[in-house]
């Protein structure tokens, strides 16, 4: 596993798999970087920053998965995808995704007045992309909800709102007949 990590790190930073290493890794395992299975893998590794794996995160995750080669990682992809089907595990991955995605600062926010290393919320564009990744294919109302976000005044999503979106997606029926405007589920 240690040799495997060296294949994807640079000589300048041999302890970190950065965006270029991630792209090569994704290419080698046959998965697009924006595939939800990469988020599940990051969750398994307890990665703290989107687009980067520390050597410690890499070794922990691949040890847990019992993978010491690209072929073994490829053989675990279906298993990693299946974790999304478990209600409790999905909730854990969904909550993890919030903090993980918050670590990503889009180029549009790279002005000095907007930079905040302790960012407490996720920008709306990143939130929409993560929601599409996690809920887009499985929530019948996702298109309508995404349209709501597109036309809303929101620039960021906080963690409570993020968690409420999942709860909303799980409890409100497609015709909205059980939606209570005055209920606790607000955005």
């Amino acid at each position: 596993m240690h040799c495997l990590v060296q294949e994807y790190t640079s000589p300048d930073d041999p302890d970190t798999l950065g965006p270029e290493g991630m792209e090569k890794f994704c290419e080698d395992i046959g998965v697009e970087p924006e595939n939800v299975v990469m988020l599940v893998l990051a969750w398994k590794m307890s990665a703290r920053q989107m687009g980067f794996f520390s050597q410690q995160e890499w070794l922990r995750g691949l040890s847990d998965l019992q993978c010491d080669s690209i072929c073994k990682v490829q053989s675990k992809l279906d298993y990693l995808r299946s974790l999304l089907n478990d209600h409790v595990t999905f909730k854990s991955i969904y909550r993890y995704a919030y903090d993980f995605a918050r670590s990503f600062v889009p180029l549009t926010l790279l002005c000095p007045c907007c930079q905040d290393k302790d960012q407490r919320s996720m920008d709306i564009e990143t939130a929409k992309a993560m929601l599409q990744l996690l809920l887009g294919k499985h929530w019948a109302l996702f298109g309508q909800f995404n349209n709501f976000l597109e036309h809303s005044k929101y620039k960021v999503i906080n963690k409570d709102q993020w968690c409420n979106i999942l709860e909303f997606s799980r409890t409100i029926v497609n015709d909205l007949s059980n939606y209570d405007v005055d209920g606790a589920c607000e955005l």
Side-chain angles (χ1 to χ4, degrees), residues 8-22:
Y8 300 105
T9 58
S10 72
D12 298 338
D13 191 1
D15 294 332
T16 304
L17 222 104
E20 289 177 10
M22 288 299 301

Side-chain angles (χ1 to χ4, degrees), residues 13-183:
D13 191 1
D15 294 332
T16 304
L17 222 104
E20 289 177 10
M22 288 299 301
E23 281 187 43
K24 183 175 178 352
F25 174 69
C26 288
E27 186 179 307
D28 288 352
I29 64 171
V31 172
E32 294 294 322
E34 54 280 337
N35 189 305
V36 72
V37 78
M38 291 306 296
L39 176 63
V40 179
L41 183 60
W43 171 76
K44 266 295 197 193
M45 292 183 175
S46 300
R48 289 187 322 250
Q49 187 176 9
M50 188 181 286
F52 297 87
F53 289 142
S54 70
Q55 185 171 338
Q56 180 183 0
E57 292 165 346
W58 176 270
L59 294 174
R60 176 182 40 237
L62 293 186
S63 292
D64 184 48
L65 290 169
Q66 300 177 343
C67 293
D68 59 3
S69 70
I70 289 299
C71 288
K72 287 183 181 177
V73 173
Q74 288 173 317
S75 74
K76 295 288 185 172
L77 294 177
D78 286 338
Y79 163 72
L80 291 169
R81 284 184 190 95
S82 76
L83 295 174
L84 295 166
N85 298 325
D86 178 76
H87 194 73
V88 174
T89 304
F90 179 83
K91 186 174 184 176
S92 177
I93 294 167
Y94 181 89
R95 286 176 172 252
Y96 165 80
Y98 180 82
D99 291 323
F100 184 64
R102 267 184 336 139
S103 71
F104 175 72
V105 180
L107 295 176
T108 56
L109 295 181
L110 286 180
C111 68
C113 63
C114 299
Q115 290 180 355
D116 180 4
K117 294 244 184 230
D118 272 342
Q119 193 175 332
R120 301 213 188 289
S121 55
M122 184 190 318
D123 76 275
I124 196 69
E125 293 306 315
T126 302
K128 289 188 307 189
M130 292 303 285
L131 289 168
Q132 172 68 45
L133 185 67
L134 290 160
L135 300 176
K137 293 180 182 175
H138 307 287
W139 181 26
L141 296 175
F142 178 77
Q144 292 158 298
F145 185 77
N146 194 53
N147 189 41
F148 162 76
L149 290 177
E150 287 284 333
H151 295 93
S152 75
K153 65 186 184 327
Y154 293 105
K155 302 282 185 235
V156 297
I157 299 284
N158 67 38
K159 191 156 193 171
D160 287 340
Q161 291 168 321
W162 180 259
C163 293
N164 283 341
I165 293 168
L166 178 61
E167 196 58 34
F168 185 87
S169 75
R170 288 182 166 182
T171 58
I172 303 303
V173 296
N174 293 348
D175 68 2
L176 303 176
S177 60
N178 65 337
Y179 176 66
D180 178 4
V181 176
D182 299 319

